[in-house]
Amino acid sequence: MSFNSSYNFTFNDVFFSSSSSGDPLVSRKLFLLRDVQILELLIALFVFVTIHSLRQKKYQGLPVWPFLGMLPSLAFALRGNIYEWLSEVLCLQNGTFQFRGPWFSSLNSTITCDPRNVEHLLKNRFSVFPKGSYFRDNLRDLLGDGIFNADDETWQRQRKTASIEFHSAKFRQLTTQSLFELVHKRLLPVLETSVKSLSPIDLQDVLLRLTFDNVCMIAFGVDPGCLGPDQPVIPFAKAFEDATEAAVARFVMPTCVWKFMRYLNLGTEKMLKESIKGVDDFADEVIRTRKKELSFEGETTKRSDLLTVFMGLRDEKGDSFSDKFLRDICVNFILAGRDTSSVALSWFFWLLEKNPEVEEKIMVELCKLLRQRDDHGNAEKRDYEPVFGPEEIKKMDYLQAALSEALRLYPSVPVDHKEVQEDDVFPDGTVLKKGEKVIYAIYAMGRMEAIWGKDCREFRPERWLRDGRFMSESAYKFTAFNGGPRLCLGKDFAYYQMKATAAAIVYRYKVKVVSGHKVEPKLALTMYMKHGMMVNLINRSVSEIDQYYAKSIDDIFIN
C-alpha cells in the first residue's frame, strides 16, 4: 500500500472513531494531522512559487515574486555595489531589461544601456521623454524648478540664459581667475601641509571643497571659504551633501512609503527636511545681500555670476524672478558644478595609482608643454612650481584622455531618468507605455563589451587618442555629459577645471591611497566614494622631474 493511501485510511479511521468516541486525545491527533496537511500544501505552494519566480530570471533578468515583483533583488543589491549589480543584469539581458516593482508601486521602469536606445531618448525622440513628474516630485524639495529638474519652457528659458552667459568672455575670465586663486593659493598649500605633517588627507573632501568654492563664486558670486588650512565646516556645504544623499533614497522605495515617512518626519525624510532648511537659509541670505548690493548704481556691470544675471532678467509677464526661483537656479548649478568634477577627479586619482604607466605619460606631457616655453631652453630655467596657462591646459590631450577614461568607468552621474509621454518603441524592440519610467545606466555603458570592446573594464586612455590628439566619442556612447538638447553646458569648463587641478597635483605629488582604505561608490545623486579617499602625498623630487624632462626631450610620448 502506498504512503498516501495509508495516510488517508488512517485519517478516515481516526475521524470516524473520534466522532463516535469523543476522546480528547484522538481529537488532538486529528487536528495535528490537519495541520500537517495544511503545512504540506503551504510548502508545496512555496516551492512552486519559488521555482516559477526564479525561472523568470532567464527571461526578465531577475526573479519576479508575487506581489513583491523584483524588489527582493533590489533590496539585496542595495547592500553592496548596486551599479555593478545593475551592470551584470544588463549585460545578461543584452543591454535592456524591464524592472517590475511591487504591485501598485511606482518602481516599474525600463532600464537600458544600449547606445541606440540612449540616442532615441536624448535626441531622436527628445520631446517624448522629459524628466517627468515622478523625477520632479522626488527632487522638488531640493531642486525646485531649477534647470536640472525642469522641463519644457521653464527648462528652455534657464538653459538659453545660462548658455549665453557660459560663452561670454567675462564669464570665462571669472572662471579662469577664480580657479587659479583656488588651486595655487588654497589647494596646494593645504596639500603641502599634509605632506609636511606626514598625515593622510581625504582627497575627495578637499576636492569637494575646491569645486564648492569655485561654483559658489560662479553661481552666487560669493566665496564661502570652504577650502582653507583649517578645513572649516561650512553649514551650507554639509546641508547640501546630506540633502542629495537623502533625496536619492526616494528613488529606491515606493512613493507611498517616503511620503508616509515625510508625514511622520522619520528617517531620510527627516534628514532631508533639516538639510534643505540649511540650503535655503544660505541661499536666502545670499539673495538678500545681492539685492542690497545691486541697489547701488553700476554694481551690475561689475559682476558676471549667474545670480546677478538672472536678477537682471524678467519673466514672461515682465516681472522680476521670485527669490524662490533664483534659489532654485543657483542650487541646481551648484549640484551640477560641485559634485561632478570633484568626484570625477577622486576616481581619476584612484585609477592613476593603479596604473603608474598612465601617470608617467601624463608627467611627460606636462614636461613637454613646459619645455616649449621660451624660457625653457636649458635645465637651469626649469620651473618646478609651474602655473599652467589656459592655452597650455587646452593642449593637454593625454590628460584629457585619462580624465575621460575615468569618467567612462566612473561617471559622476551613474544613472539618469526619463518618463514616457506617449507609447513608443525603442530601436532594440522594447515596447514603452505612456507613463512608464525609463532609466539609462551610464555606469553600465562603460562596462559593455558591445560598446567598448573586450578591454572595456581596463583603464586605457589611448582609446581616446587619434594620432596623439584627443578625440571625443559619441554622446550616446559616452554619456557622462548627457547628450542631445540637454548636453551639459559646462562641459568645456568642467574639463578645464579638472585638467588644471589634476596637472597642478600630478606635477608636484605622487598620490598613494592609504593601505587598507576601502574604496566603493555611495548611493547618491552623484558617485561619491562612500568612505572618502584617504591618501598620502609624496613630493616629487627635482631629479625625478628631470627624468621626465629627459623623456619629453627624447620624444618618448604616447602616439
Side-chain angles (χ1 to χ4, degrees), residues 45-56 60 62-73 100-105:
L45 180 63
F46 175 76
V47 171
F48 172 78
V49 169
T50 300
I51 293 173
H52 176 74
S53 298
L54 292 175
R55 286 183 64 186
Q56 301 301 306
Q60 301 196 43
L62 294 170
V64 183
W65 301 93
F67 183 73
L68 295 175
M70 297 177 177
L71 185 61
S73 298
R100 293 295 169 253
W103 295 351
F104 310 112
S105 77

Side-chain angles (χ1 to χ4, degrees), residues 415-464:
V415 297
D416 207 350
H417 177 281
K418 297 288 184 179
E419 192 169 299
V420 185
Q421 289 289 88
E422 60 184 57
D423 292 354
D424 200 11
V425 180
F426 267 157
D428 70 358
T430 303
V431 177
L432 305 170
K433 296 296 183 181
K434 181 179 179 179
E436 186 178 358
K437 292 175 286 296
V438 177
I439 295 170
Y440 57 103
I442 304 169
Y443 180 94
M445 291 182 76
R447 286 156 178 76
M448 295 293 287
E449 288 189 13
I451 302 175
W452 297 99
K454 291 186 177 181
D455 63 350
C456 59
R457 287 182 173 266
E458 295 178 17
F459 180 64
R460 195 172 69 83
E462 287 76 9
R463 74 176 82 241
W464 297 88

Side-chain angles (χ1 to χ4, degrees), residues 459-478:
F459 180 64
R460 195 172 69 83
E462 287 76 9
R463 74 176 82 241
W464 297 88
L465 299 175
R466 304 289 185 276
D467 297 324
R469 299 300 302 274
F470 174 80
M471 294 292 291
S472 185
E473 289 283 359
S474 162
Y476 314 108
K477 176 180 176 181
F478 174 64

